[in-house]
Amino acid sequence: MKEKIIEVSIGMFGQNGFTETSIQDIVESLGVTKGTFYYYFKSKEELLMEIHLRYIDDLLQSQKEILETKNSSEQKLYDIVYMIMKHIEGHGQSARVFFREMQHLNEEHLDDIFHKRDQFRKNMNQAIQEGIDSGEFRQDLNVEIVSLAILGAVNWSYHWFDPKGKLDEKAVSTIYIDFMLNGLKST
Amino acid sequence: MKEKIIEVSIGMFGQNGFTETSIQDIVESLGVTKGTFYYYFKSKEELLMEIHLRYIDDLLQSQKEILETKNSSEQKLYDIVYMIMKHIEGHGQSARVFFREMQHLNEEHLDDIFHKRDQFRKNMNQAIQEGIDSGEFRQDLNVEIVSLAILGAVNWSYHWFDPKGKLDEKAVSTIYIDFMLNGLKST
Amino acid sequence: MKEKIIEVSIGMFGQNGFTETSIQDIVESLGVTKGTFYYYFKSKEELLMEIHLRYIDDLLQSQKEILETKNSSEQKLYDIVYMIMKHIEGHGQSARVFFREMQHLNEEHLDDIFHKRDQFRKNMNQAIQEGIDSGEFRQDLNVEIVSLAILGAVNWSYHWFDPKGKLDEKAVSTIYIDFMLNGLKST
Amino acid sequence: MKEKIIEVSIGMFGQNGFTETSIQDIVESLGVTKGTFYYYFKSKEELLMEIHLRYIDDLLQSQKEILETKNSSEQKLYDIVYMIMKHIEGHGQSARVFFREMQHLNEEHLDDIFHKRDQFRKNMNQAIQEGIDSGEFRQDLNVEIVSLAILGAVNWSYHWFDPKGKLDEKAVSTIYIDFMLNGLKST
DNA sequence: TATGAATGAGCTTTCATTCAT
DNA sequence: TATGAATGAAAGCTCATTCAT
């Protein structure tokens, strides 16, 4: 039941927004009553936190596995970008909730999530730094800002990426990486 | 008074969110009553639309001026990126509202805004295409996706950019452009 | 202007109801502002009272003229019925307002109107009594109740009478009177 | 609880009017909170509809039973008149609400009620027609108009009938019927 | 005569949450 | 595990009215 609540909530939060979705809406779509909801969750916010945690923990775990390999920095970068895109493709509504409804967490939870997002970003920084150190990437990069640019470009995809569109998440990732590695300029 | 309402609303919507800010909060912060609010706005949503319109219309206008120059594509790209960053720097809360609270517009208004955002994106596409045609940019770029990547990277800045931080909007723009033109790879 | 306000108010009160029609609605339909309204009327209720007064005073005056003639009771009865019907035909919305929105008058005004409606009813009683005394009407009638029945039947017409319908107010009055004088029973 | 809400609402709507009675007034008189009201009714209008439905359905049912008997038309007419009067006597406030507050139903509900009131009227027409066909009533009656006159006379009673007055509903009904059958004219 | 800005009280409705069963 | 009745606080919005100009 708890899983079912989370599942339909993600769908409804993603579609209509956190504030716009009432507990009533959620339980009605499951054919149960509000009491049931409060048996499994202390509050609406706790449900939102659970959704956030699952998303970011999953991302962090995948990122960790990628970073622990012996692959080239270029490959690692590609793997991370593709992994995020794969998440957006496979859990599109989760991504929407994660990127859009964070503000509705309470302070404590927000701190927790913020810290984890920061960790994700720092891991990204590190991957880029490694590429610089190994000579794969340019020496004169501002790691912090470039990292934010890459994350921004990829994360932004949740706004427009359509799993049923012309290009799948793999194709988009490939274009992203080519752009990020080689830039726009003709040589 | 209308201007004052818009002004404080942007601040409060940006800080606490559209749904979390009540009309009561807004008018209290101005020392007037709810009736006053509804004298100037038919609904809370109408106020939100006004904020959106001002933001996107301003952006489109600035973009148009940039595109109408005879500058190189590289320069135009820089100018657009810097212009967006300048907006985020100068109207940070507006940007937050614009990028985050769009969902609370009604269908008709959403259509309008969506159409304008699309226009902005298409103008961006065109700028890149011109660069390709003139030989400044690589021939093998996927214009649509690259354009989305650039916009994503720059727009995302509203999440983290701090006007009082170490780097100002000009420095960030420069780093962005360098990254976008030349990529990460060492040569 | 005062006349115009009364005129459109009758239309709007009749169509949509007194409470459902706002001052704003009224002044907007005249292209003026609320201040103007309050220049001519102390309150919304005062406007309603004015409408009521015009209606009942008109009715009372017409009734008086009919009763002062030397006509037969039958004729007088017919004239009164026809006169009410004529009012409903010609001032349909006024009738609606008069019969339906009385409750929104304040106590003092309500008293006044009530007293005048009562006067109208008593004059009716008197007409019937005269008919009885002269032998035109049956001796065993309960004047009070019969009078209320007649007024009920005629007044009720405002619910359904359609000036553009098959029967005009004259035809309906004739049928009413025939029914009231001769009853249903076959002889 | 739902019953209690309906009960006190009828009283308050009848006394002070639908618009003049707030949900607050209703729940306060029951010692509960507004939330409770909305647990049982989707809206104030829905409550009004429920009151209307109960009234008209009850009336239609009683009318049906009367019409299905083998009684004379005269008797049926008396029974219907008496039945309506009995309703006005016993559910005076309901009658007030029913006849006066109909306008506050929404379009869909209004249609429904209107249709049922029309059915009641048509059944009345039919009863009169049967009397004509059987020879009890005059051949030259305009059934539609006479029927409306009778209903008007009886329904109007809700304006003035006082259960504690000199004449009870039975006495009034008897006077009504005598008047309707035999008319005013002396013979 | 008329305007327009502002008020303030009140309205219907929503909703997260509680709790006895 | 789950229900269903009830709460209470707050929300968006309406509107008759006032008043300086």
Side-chain angles (χ1 to χ4, degrees), chain A residues 73-85:
Chain A
S73 289
E74 195 178 317
Q75 182 63 39
K76 283 180 181 172
L77 195 64
Y78 173 81
D79 286 345
I80 293 177
V81 167
Y82 177 62
M83 183 264 288
I84 300 176
M85 287 303 298

Side-chain angles (χ1 to χ4, degrees), chain B:
Chain B
M1 176 54 64
K2 191 173 180 176
E3 289 307 314
K4 279 205 270 180
I5 292 176
I6 291 177
E7 197 181 327
V8 310
S9 295
I10 288 172
M12 299 179 97
F13 289 167
Q15 198 84 45
N16 306 120
F18 177 75
T19 317
E20 284 64 31
T21 306
S22 70
I23 307 287
Q24 190 63 32
D25 293 339
I26 294 169
V27 297
E28 249 168 36
S29 86
L30 284 169
V32 295
T33 58
K34 273 189 263 188
T36 303
F37 178 91
Y38 282 95
Y39 180 75
Y40 292 103
F41 297 95
K42 275 218 298 288
S43 68
K44 195 185 177 190
E45 193 267 351
E46 204 192 76
L47 163 61
L48 184 62
M49 182 57 174
E50 183 110 14
I51 295 172
H52 270 77
L53 272 184
R54 291 183 178 208
Y55 197 85
I56 187 65
D57 284 345
D58 203 8
L59 237 51
L60 274 171
Q61 176 59 28
S62 301
Q63 191 193 41
K64 187 161 165 256
E65 286 165 15
I66 292 169
L67 294 182
E68 278 169 354
T69 64
K70 299 269 184 220
N71 291 333
S72 68
S73 291
E74 198 178 314
Q75 182 64 40
K76 283 180 181 171
L77 196 64
Y78 174 81
D79 286 345
I80 293 177
V81 166
Y82 177 63
M83 182 265 287
I84 299 176
M85 286 304 297
K86 187 80 194 154
H87 258 82
I88 289 174
E89 183 266 336
H91 317 284
Q93 301 294 38
S94 280
R96 257 195 196 75
V97 176
F98 184 69
F99 288 125
R100 204 181 53 196
E101 313 289 0
M102 199 186 23
Q103 50 172 323
H104 298 110
L105 295 171
N106 68 31
E107 218 163 336
E108 209 175 346
H109 284 160
L110 203 59
D111 256 25
D112 194 2
I113 294 298
F114 190 78
H115 180 255
K116 289 185 167 178
R117 290 182 71 152
D118 219 45
Q119 190 54 52
F120 191 88
R121 186 180 61 79
K122 281 179 181 154
N123 292 342
M124 189 72 165
N125 291 357
Q126 186 200 319
I128 295 170
Q129 187 61 52
E130 282 174 16
I132 294 174
D133 294 344
S134 73
E136 278 181 81
F137 297 158
R138 292 159 48 200
Q139 305 293 312
D140 61 342
L141 294 171
N142 182 313
V143 174
E144 295 268 349
I145 302 297
V146 165
S147 175
L148 284 162
I150 294 171
L151 286 174
V154 184
N155 288 342
W156 197 257
S157 313
Y158 89 83
H159 278 296
W160 60 266
F161 181 76
D162 174 13
K164 291 179 232 131
K166 243 183 345 208
L167 299 171
D168 66 11
E169 72 279 8
K170 192 157 197 168
V172 170
S173 302
T174 304
I175 297 170
Y176 274 175
I177 283 292
D178 170 54
F179 160 59
M180 289 166 184
L181 290 175
N182 304 307
L184 300 176
K185 252 194 191 152
S186 59
T187 48

Side-chain angles (χ1 to χ4, degrees), chain A residues 12-36:
Chain A
M12 298 178 99
F13 289 166
Q15 198 85 45
N16 306 118
F18 176 75
T19 316
E20 284 64 31
T21 305
S22 69
I23 306 284
Q24 190 61 30
D25 292 338
I26 294 168
V27 297
E28 247 169 37
S29 88
L30 284 169
V32 295
T33 56
K34 281 193 235 180
T36 304

Side-chain angles (χ1 to χ4, degrees), chain C residues 33 35-36 39-40:
Chain C
T33 56
T36 305
Y39 180 77
Y40 291 105

Side-chain angles (χ1 to χ4, degrees), chain C residues 105-181:
Chain C
L105 295 171
N106 67 33
E107 217 162 337
E108 206 176 348
H109 284 159
L110 201 60
D111 257 25
D112 192 1
I113 295 298
F114 191 77
H115 179 254
K116 289 186 168 177
R117 288 181 73 154
D118 219 45
Q119 190 54 52
F120 191 88
R121 186 179 62 78
K122 281 179 181 154
N123 292 343
M124 190 72 164
N125 291 356
Q126 184 200 320
I128 295 169
Q129 188 61 52
E130 282 176 15
I132 294 174
D133 294 345
S134 73
E136 276 183 83
F137 298 158
R138 291 159 48 201
Q139 305 294 312
D140 60 343
L141 294 172
N142 181 315
V143 175
E144 295 269 350
I145 303 296
V146 165
S147 174
L148 283 163
I150 293 172
L151 287 174
V154 184
N155 287 343
W156 197 258
S157 312
Y158 89 84
H159 279 296
W160 60 266
F161 181 76
D162 173 13
K164 292 177 231 134
K166 243 184 345 209
L167 298 172
D168 66 11
E169 72 278 8
K170 191 155 198 168
V172 171
S173 302
T174 306
I175 296 170
Y176 274 177
I177 284 293
D178 169 56
F179 161 60
M180 290 164 182
L181 290 175

Side-chain angles (χ1 to χ4, degrees), chain D residues 107-175:
Chain D
E107 215 163 338
E108 208 176 346
H109 284 160
L110 202 60
D111 257 26
D112 192 2
I113 294 298
F114 191 76
H115 179 255
K116 287 186 169 179
R117 289 183 74 152
D118 219 45
Q119 190 54 53
F120 192 88
R121 186 180 62 79
K122 281 177 183 158
N123 292 342
M124 189 73 165
N125 291 357
Q126 185 200 320
I128 295 171
Q129 188 60 53
E130 280 174 19
I132 295 174
D133 294 344
S134 73
E136 277 183 80
F137 297 158
R138 291 159 49 201
Q139 305 294 312
D140 62 341
L141 293 172
N142 181 314
V143 175
E144 295 268 351
I145 303 298
V146 165
S147 174
L148 284 162
I150 293 172
L151 287 173
V154 185
N155 287 342
W156 197 256
S157 313
Y158 89 83
H159 278 297
W160 60 265
F161 181 75
D162 174 11
K164 291 178 233 136
K166 245 189 334 216
L167 298 171
D168 67 11
E169 72 278 8
K170 192 155 197 168
V172 172
S173 302
T174 305
I175 296 170

